[in-house]
Amino acid sequence: MELDGEERAVVRPLLTDLYQATMALGYWRAGRACEAAEFELFFRHCPFGGSFALAAGLRDCLCFLRAFRLRDADVQFLASVLPPDTDPAFFEHLRTLDCSGVTVRALPEGSLAFPGVPLLQVSGPLLLVQLLETPLLCLVSYASLVATNAARLRLIAGPDKRLLEMGLRRAQGPDGGFTASIYSYLGGFNSSSNTLAGQLRGVPVAGTLAHSFMLAPASSEGPTVDLAASVNLWLKRVCDYLGLEVQEPHPGERAAFVAYALAFPRAFQGLLDSYSVRRSGLPNFLAVALALGELGYRAVGVRLDSGDLLQQAQEIRGIFRTVGAEFQVPWLESVSIAVSNNIDEKELARLAQKGSEVNIIGIGTSVVTCPKQPSMGCVYKLVSVGGQPRMKLTEDREKQTLPGSKAAFRLLGPDGFFLMDLLQLAEEPPPKAGQELKVWPRGAQGPCTVKPAQVEPLLQLCLQQGQLCETLPSLDESRTFAQQSLSRLNPAHKQLQSPPVYPVALSEKLRALVDSLGAGGPL
Amino acid sequence: MELDGEERAVVRPLLTDLYQATMALGYWRAGRACEAAEFELFFRHCPFGGSFALAAGLRDCLCFLRAFRLRDADVQFLASVLPPDTDPAFFEHLRTLDCSGVTVRALPEGSLAFPGVPLLQVSGPLLLVQLLETPLLCLVSYASLVATNAARLRLIAGPDKRLLEMGLRRAQGPDGGFTASIYSYLGGFNSSSNTLAGQLRGVPVAGTLAHSFMLAPASSEGPTVDLAASVNLWLKRVCDYLGLEVQEPHPGERAAFVAYALAFPRAFQGLLDSYSVRRSGLPNFLAVALALGELGYRAVGVRLDSGDLLQQAQEIRGIFRTVGAEFQVPWLESVSIAVSNNIDEKELARLAQKGSEVNIIGIGTSVVTCPKQPSMGCVYKLVSVGGQPRMKLTEDREKQTLPGSKAAFRLLGPDGFFLMDLLQLAEEPPPKAGQELKVWPRGAQGPCTVKPAQVEPLLQLCLQQGQLCETLPSLDESRTFAQQSLSRLNPAHKQLQSPPVYPVALSEKLRALVDSLGAGGPL
């Protein structure tokens, strides 16, 4: 397995909160650095008001864990910010740390995830697994947020529209863009404009051209003359047919189209809205496309970046049809129409409606920065120390945690849809298909019974005592897995606004443990 | 000057949109790769509905430009995604690219920035400066967004509250966290929890302890016994005084406090809300703090992470006062109270109100992810090619650009406050203090006259033909500069909601150039 960390140089042990180091010192002074501890990483609420999330970021976590080592400079920096009388033996201990004692179970990349079900279970020496909290949260939260956001956008767009992520320039920092490009693809996008995500992670890259190309038009000298002359002849025919003066289309824009067509005769695309779409961009595009067509090349598409995108697409498709018929160029009517310009969930729904002539939708800010909810609120909570379950009890019941080392299962109904997720103690036997179970759904007043038609274990052993357990799936495999998982989610839970809550339940034994700890019994 | 790029390994030439490479090929085929071009990076609207932004990210841009080189693997990747018949000489050209022909003028880091005034002016060979668009936007936009967000939060908090950035776990990717830690400090925060930002950029780091520490309490054996015994005596006295049963405070929490106090006797802090603040956290803290006090150590503070923070702080301060008086421990009343828990602008205003007993405010999600507006919408537009001004003319007048190579000045009134920013052509003589000027404010119907008491040039030459021009200011210097600049902004423009627009005006000559191009004259 390739786990190249080069692109993530910022992901290193000191990318953590100072209080993790403070607590590490506290544990060390108390002689507890090496006590066996287990933490769970989970979220309490699904993002964006939906009923699901996609788990993502696991590969990045494993990459980070495998490389985990405090360098001399790191330890020296910590020594400079911790109390000056700190025992040097503590820093010697830090120098020896690596993840050879760490075991991780996790939801596979692209899994559906629900509140309270661990995305990661991390066990190992208390001091070390405490230090891992912030970087693991940082790696999982945003990756999962973006993947979930992309999956929602895919649900809105339906399976056929091509979705292009193009948000790098709007991202929250360079890595915000890089991460977004990878995990929006995992969540269901078709491609990204981000070249680095293509190079380093194999995301399909795509893109057209920018307005600046239109503003820096080629001269009409030299090798461009032949095509340019043919374009001018076609321009007259097109303008006549559309009822425009031949002076109306902007000559600089047309020169830029010609330059582009000469550079990419097999991939000519026109960005139509540098000036006026109807009076300049469209006739210029048609003149160049028709001239190219005479030479045996088919233009691949147009792009719109302003105005009413749906309505313009309808008009442009209509003109492609009639112009194609008029000049007997049948391929013209199927030239693809790409749109962009601050597209959010609402506008996407409009662009994806029945009868829409839009083919490709470029989304930037709203997939990358997740403006509807720009952070995912994952938490990383201690569930056992020294083999004893731990539980956080506060007056804010929502912040209570579920104690103990746990297993998680997804129960399916006879229709093949997911029924509920079940959390139980690790030592309990797994539930069996066809067997009636008494379970305690979270948030419900009492228990209920359920008879699953199928049972799937959720958490996979990924890292055992520092060793990777199996080959990680490729990004494409995880992307396919995410779409397959979504296809088994009941349509009601795929509603994006106010969906019914997907049930997560506790086994009787886990419920009893919660009661025994919550009732004030000794911890 | 140290420009260590190690931490930014993801910031490299291929962190760009594919269409930049596509356009580069277009320019190259048209023989225009080396034409002199100039781009401006600016924004059209101030973020968060305010009237200003802080310019940030310049250092990162210069670091990127100085290191700009396409590696063999980069060029090979581009060859794999561009048309297969692309002339190999294009790729040879890419291999030779560096920024030795690039010149950058910029607003210094921490400057106040207003719509349409360039943050960066980038000139150099057309093909190359086109390729720089996406990475420069990515580096400037988020840095400036976070710095502006932090400056707003500082304005709300006033000068005395200590603001701690603690958003790493909620950030949009690891670099989103790293960038946020640096630029929230620049914008006016006091410190960050992010250790790496301390190590690599000198941001003061700070932090306390997490709930998990409370859930993994130390045993009461061994060296802890002496302090623990004294704590138990104090607990009884404190509980008697507060009217609590001595069994009420959670023993596990108390054991964790003892462990923490033993580890950090000079820096003991208590996180009070793992269980109940009033019935557990506070009496446990008091018992440990008073026991430590007998040994000559003063506790430094408490932290609250849930509930009504303002009200609890008042109550706790009251109890510190009366308990301090009762037990003749006068320092207790000035122990610092730190709060956190999803604090946004509105809650911060509440916590900073007159009479508030809160001293330290930890802000995570809302400073780091900027939920009010998670992206800054900077653009990078061509303003001249081959020495000729260029202007984007669209039906959407707001998207029109200002043509030509420009200079920018800030005009000040006799009261020392900023009056307006003035854009003019680079070749015009600078405006003079005391001289009446006729200018054209953007958005106004006509010209106006202004007589500045002082004139300050805005754009500094940072990179000349690839060479750094002077030592970059340190992060602390930029932070001071930002606060000084804000102190010269008229209080009206510091309103955070619906402030009056800060005027940006064009000189007569620039206005005339716009008119000549906008009127359809030849480009």
Side-chain angles (χ1 to χ4, degrees), chain B residues 153-475:
Chain B
L153 293 165
R154 169 54 72 198
L155 284 173
I156 294 169
D160 298 330
K161 303 287 180 206
R162 295 187 64 79
L163 297 179
L164 165 67
E165 177 276 311
M166 42 177 272
L168 178 56
R169 65 186 58 198
R170 300 282 177 259
Q172 297 206 339
D175 180 273
F178 184 67
T179 304
S181 301
I182 296 163
Y183 295 105
S184 59
Y185 179 65
L186 184 144
F189 272 49
N190 297 93
S191 54
S192 167
S193 69
N194 184 342
T195 317
L196 194 65
Q199 183 185 20
L200 298 179
R201 294 290 181 94
V203 175
V205 293
T208 57
L209 76 173
H211 289 110
S212 58
F213 197 88
M214 304 300 132
L215 301 178
S219 67
S220 55
E221 296 158 26
T224 73
V225 160
D226 283 349
L227 182 64
S230 167
V231 165
N232 285 336
L233 292 175
W234 275 107
L235 183 70
K236 178 146 178 26
R237 298 176 69 182
V238 166
C239 287
D240 283 350
Y241 181 72
L242 297 177
L244 296 167
E245 295 297 319
V246 78
Q247 294 80 10
E248 286 187 77
H250 197 287
E253 182 186 54
R254 191 163 57 253
F257 283 173
V258 169
Y260 193 87
L262 288 165
F264 301 100
R266 286 178 189 78
F268 172 57
Q269 293 187 289
L271 174 56
L272 301 188
D273 61 352
S274 295
Y275 304 96
S276 161
V277 172
R278 242 173 44 79
R279 295 195 311 275
S280 183
L282 188 58
N284 276 334
F285 170 80
L286 288 168
V288 176
L290 292 166
L292 260 189
E294 284 188 328
L295 302 174
Y297 300 109
R298 291 186 183 182
V300 300
V302 297
R303 179 179 159 214
L304 296 164
D305 191 40
S306 56
D308 184 327
L309 303 170
L310 181 72
Q311 191 191 332
Q312 290 178 93
Q314 308 299 103
E315 289 170 11
I316 289 166
R317 182 71 69 205
I319 291 172
F320 284 171
R321 285 205 184 97
T322 58
V323 171
E326 169 74 14
F327 298 112
Q328 294 171 357
V329 185
W331 55 263
L332 190 63
E333 73 169 305
S334 57
V335 159
S336 77
I337 300 178
V339 299
S340 56
N341 193 23
N342 288 324
I343 294 169
D344 58 12
E345 290 191 351
K346 194 174 152 197
E347 173 70 0
L348 179 60
R350 213 177 139 253
L351 295 171
Q353 67 186 250
K354 202 160 180 296
S356 162
E357 294 290 356
V358 169
N359 306 105
I360 301 170
I361 301 168
I363 305 185
T365 313
S366 77
V367 64
V368 162
T369 69
C370 307
K372 208 164 175 176
Q373 181 186 323
S375 65
M376 171 114 170
C378 287
V379 295
Y380 180 88
K381 296 292 176 187
L382 185 66
V383 297
S384 82
V385 189
Q388 295 300 307
R390 283 288 180 272
M391 179 174 180
K392 182 179 170 184
L393 296 167
T394 76
E395 290 172 342
D396 184 353
R397 279 191 70 87
E398 189 176 80
K399 286 196 170 181
Q400 288 194 358
T401 56
L402 294 174
S405 192
K406 291 183 275 297
F409 299 90
R410 190 152 288 162
L411 312 184
L412 287 87
D415 54 5
F417 285 126
F418 300 138
L419 275 181
M420 68 169 57
D421 283 8
L422 176 67
L423 296 171
Q424 58 180 43
L425 296 175
E427 65 257 29
E428 293 184 65
K432 285 186 188 142
Q435 202 169 56
E436 194 167 88
L437 299 164
K438 184 176 168 193
V439 300
W440 296 76
R442 301 190 74 186
Q445 292 301 319
C448 71
T449 57
V450 58
K451 189 154 74 172
Q454 294 173 62
V455 173
E456 295 179 356
L458 285 175
L459 298 163
Q460 283 190 3
L461 186 65
C462 306
L463 196 73
Q464 188 163 34
Q465 301 291 318
Q467 296 302 306
L468 284 170
C469 296
E470 51 184 314
T471 309
L472 290 180
S474 71
L475 183 57

Side-chain angles (χ1 to χ4, degrees), chain A residues 16-19 29 32 85 130 133 169-170 174 193 195-196 208 212 215-216 263 266 274 378 390 393, chain B residues 14 16-19 29 32 85 130 133 169-170 193 195 208 212 215-216 263 266 274 378 390 393:
Chain A
T16 194
D17 294 308
L18 179 62
Y19 80 30
R29 286 225 186 145
R32 310 183 62 216
D85 57 353
Q130 178 71 62
E133 173 174 10
R169 66 187 59 197
R170 299 281 176 261
S193 69
T195 316
L196 194 66
T208 57
S212 58
L215 302 179
R266 287 178 186 79
S274 294
C378 287
R390 282 286 180 272
L393 296 167
Chain B
L14 286 202
T16 194
D17 294 308
L18 179 62
Y19 80 30
R29 287 224 186 146
R32 311 184 62 218
D85 57 355
Q130 178 72 62
E133 174 174 8
R169 65 186 58 198
R170 300 282 177 259
S193 69
T195 317
T208 57
S212 58
L215 301 178
R266 286 178 189 78
S274 295
C378 287
R390 283 288 180 272
L393 296 167

Side-chain angles (χ1 to χ4, degrees), chain B residues 46-47 49-53 113-115 152 489 492-495 499-502:
Chain B
C46 290
S51 82
F52 70 88
F114 300 101
R152 289 168 63 90
L489 185 64
H493 296 303
K494 287 194 238 183
Q495 288 172 31
V501 173
Y502 178 87

Side-chain angles (χ1 to χ4, degrees), chain A residues 6-12 14-20 22-23 25-27 29-30 32 39 71 73-74 77-78 81-83 85 126 130 133-134 137-139 141-142 145 168-176 178-179 193-196 198-200 205-213 215-218 250 259-260 262-266 273-276 279 303 305-306 341 365 368-371 374-375 377-379 381-382 385 390-395 399 523, chain B residues 6-12 14-20 22-23 25-27 29-30 32 39 71 73-74 77-78 81-83 85 126 130 133-134 137-139 141-142 145 168-176 178-179 193-196 198-200 205-213 215-218 250 259-260 262-266 273-276 279 303 305-306 341 365 368-371 374-375 377-379 381-382 385 390-395 399 523:
Chain A
E6 181 200 22
E7 75 269 26
R8 294 294 188 118
V10 77
V11 185
R12 45 204 245 194
L14 286 203
L15 188 79
T16 194
D17 294 308
L18 179 62
Y19 80 30
Q20 310 291 5
T22 310
M23 285 192 290
L25 176 55
Y27 290 133
R29 286 225 186 145
R32 310 183 62 216
F39 284 78
R71 296 183 288 190
D74 300 338
F77 181 77
L78 289 177
V81 293
L82 288 173
D85 57 353
L126 178 59
Q130 178 71 62
E133 173 174 10
T134 311
L137 283 171
C138 189
L139 289 168
S141 289
Y142 179 57
L145 184 76
L168 177 55
R169 66 187 59 197
R170 299 281 176 261
Q172 297 205 339
D175 181 274
F178 184 69
T179 305
S193 69
N194 184 343
T195 316
L196 194 66
Q199 183 186 19
L200 298 180
V205 292
T208 57
L209 76 174
H211 289 111
S212 58
F213 198 86
L215 302 179
H250 197 287
Y260 192 87
L262 288 166
F264 301 100
R266 287 178 186 79
D273 61 353
S274 294
Y275 305 97
S276 160
R279 295 196 311 275
R303 180 181 158 213
D305 191 39
S306 56
N341 194 23
T365 313
V368 162
T369 68
C370 306
S375 65
C378 287
V379 294
K381 295 293 176 188
L382 185 67
V385 189
R390 282 286 180 272
M391 179 174 181
K392 181 180 170 183
L393 296 167
T394 76
E395 290 171 342
K399 287 197 169 181
L523 273 176
Chain B
E6 179 200 24
E7 74 267 28
R8 293 293 187 118
V10 77
V11 185
R12 44 204 243 194
L14 286 202
L15 186 80
T16 194
D17 294 308
L18 179 62
Y19 80 30
Q20 310 290 6
T22 310
M23 285 194 288
L25 175 54
Y27 289 133
R29 287 224 186 146
R32 311 184 62 218
F39 284 78
R71 296 184 286 191
D74 300 337
F77 181 76
L78 288 176
V81 294
L82 288 173
D85 57 355
L126 178 59
Q130 178 72 62
E133 174 174 8
T134 311
L137 282 171
C138 189
L139 289 169
S141 288
Y142 179 57
L145 184 77
L168 178 56
R169 65 186 58 198
R170 300 282 177 259
Q172 297 206 339
D175 180 273
F178 184 67
T179 304
S193 69
N194 184 342
T195 317
L196 194 65
Q199 183 185 20
L200 298 179
V205 293
T208 57
L209 76 173
H211 289 110
S212 58
F213 197 88
L215 301 178
H250 197 287
Y260 193 87
L262 288 165
F264 301 100
R266 286 178 189 78
D273 61 352
S274 295
Y275 304 96
S276 161
R279 295 195 311 275
R303 179 179 159 214
D305 191 40
S306 56
N341 193 23
T365 313
V368 162
T369 69
C370 307
S375 65
C378 287
V379 295
K381 296 292 176 187
L382 185 66
V385 189
R390 283 288 180 272
M391 179 174 180
K392 182 179 170 184
L393 296 167
T394 76
E395 290 172 342
K399 286 196 170 181
L523 273 177

Side-chain angles (χ1 to χ4, degrees), chain A residues 178-440:
Chain A
F178 184 69
T179 305
S181 300
I182 296 162
Y183 295 105
S184 59
Y185 179 66
L186 184 143
F189 271 47
N190 296 94
S191 54
S192 167
S193 69
N194 184 343
T195 316
L196 194 66
Q199 183 186 19
L200 298 180
R201 293 290 181 93
V203 175
V205 292
T208 57
L209 76 174
H211 289 111
S212 58
F213 198 86
M214 304 299 133
L215 302 179
S219 67
S220 54
E221 297 160 26
T224 72
V225 160
D226 281 349
L227 183 63
S230 167
V231 165
N232 285 336
L233 293 174
W234 274 108
L235 183 71
K236 180 151 179 20
R237 299 176 69 184
V238 166
C239 286
D240 283 350
Y241 179 74
L242 296 177
L244 295 167
E245 297 296 320
V246 76
Q247 293 81 11
E248 285 188 77
H250 197 287
E253 183 187 53
R254 189 162 60 253
F257 283 175
V258 169
Y260 192 87
L262 288 166
F264 301 100
R266 287 178 186 79
F268 172 57
Q269 294 187 291
L271 174 56
L272 301 189
D273 61 353
S274 294
Y275 305 97
S276 160
V277 173
R278 241 173 44 78
R279 295 196 311 275
S280 182
L282 188 58
N284 277 333
F285 170 80
L286 287 168
V288 176
L290 292 166
L292 261 188
E294 283 188 329
L295 302 173
Y297 300 110
R298 293 187 182 181
V300 300
V302 297
R303 180 181 158 213
L304 296 164
D305 191 39
S306 56
D308 184 326
L309 302 169
L310 181 71
Q311 190 191 332
Q312 291 178 92
Q314 307 299 104
E315 288 170 11
I316 289 167
R317 183 72 70 207
I319 291 172
F320 283 170
R321 286 205 183 95
T322 59
V323 170
E326 169 74 13
F327 299 112
Q328 295 171 358
V329 185
W331 55 262
L332 190 62
E333 73 168 304
S334 57
V335 159
S336 77
I337 300 177
V339 299
S340 56
N341 194 23
N342 288 323
I343 294 169
D344 58 12
E345 289 191 353
K346 194 174 153 199
E347 173 70 359
L348 180 60
R350 212 177 141 253
L351 295 171
Q353 67 187 253
K354 202 159 180 298
S356 162
E357 294 291 355
V358 169
N359 306 105
I360 302 170
I361 301 168
I363 306 186
T365 313
S366 78
V367 64
V368 162
T369 68
C370 306
K372 208 166 175 175
Q373 183 187 323
S375 65
M376 173 116 168
C378 287
V379 294
Y380 180 89
K381 295 293 176 188
L382 185 67
V383 297
S384 82
V385 189
Q388 295 302 307
R390 282 286 180 272
M391 179 174 181
K392 181 180 170 183
L393 296 167
T394 76
E395 290 171 342
D396 183 354
R397 279 191 69 86
E398 188 175 80
K399 287 197 169 181
Q400 287 194 0
T401 56
L402 294 174
S405 193
K406 292 183 275 294
F409 299 90
R410 191 153 288 163
L411 312 184
L412 288 85
D415 54 6
F417 285 125
F418 300 138
L419 275 181
M420 68 169 57
D421 284 8
L422 177 66
L423 297 171
Q424 59 180 40
L425 296 176
E427 66 258 28
E428 293 184 65
K432 285 187 188 142
Q435 202 169 56
E436 192 167 89
L437 299 165
K438 183 175 168 194
V439 300
W440 296 76

